């Protein structure tokens, strides 16, 4: 859990976009890559601001027994 300021509304719609970063030293690859991997495994990566504590919580959900689709169209059971 991160207890900073949270995700501002204007950042939310591009949070998982490639090269999107609010940090001057950030690459904007980390959240995009995490989201991409989750989707390839038919899962999801979501976030929720924590109004009572400040900060944000990220949740990664990958359903068991799903199949991963590779970039070449191949399917792999996980």
């Amino acid at each position: 859990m991160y207890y900073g300021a949270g995700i501002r509304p204007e950042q939310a719609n591009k949070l998982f976009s490639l090269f999107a970063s609010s940090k001057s030293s950030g690459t904007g690859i980390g959240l995009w890559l995490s989201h991409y991997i989750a989707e390839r495994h038919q899962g999801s990566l979501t976030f929720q601001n924590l109004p009572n504590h400040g900060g944000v919580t990220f949740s990664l959900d990958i359903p068991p027994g799903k199949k991963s689709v590779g970039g070449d169209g191949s399917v792999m059971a996980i």
Side-chain angles (χ1 to χ4, degrees), residues 33-45 60-62:
L33 182 58
S34 300
H35 188 257
Y36 175 81
I37 291 170
E39 286 188 334
R40 296 299 266 189
H41 290 281
Q42 298 179 7
S44 63
L45 178 62
L60 173 64
D61 178 44
I62 298 179

Side-chain angles (χ1 to χ4, degrees), residues 3-35:
Y3 291 105
I7 306 297
R8 294 188 308 263
E10 62 272 12
Q11 292 175 312
N13 63 347
K14 60 182 178 180
L15 189 64
F16 299 115
S17 298
L18 184 56
F19 303 126
S21 179
S22 63
K23 301 175 190 173
S24 61
S25 63
T27 61
I29 295 174
L31 285 176
W32 171 84
L33 182 58
S34 300
H35 188 257

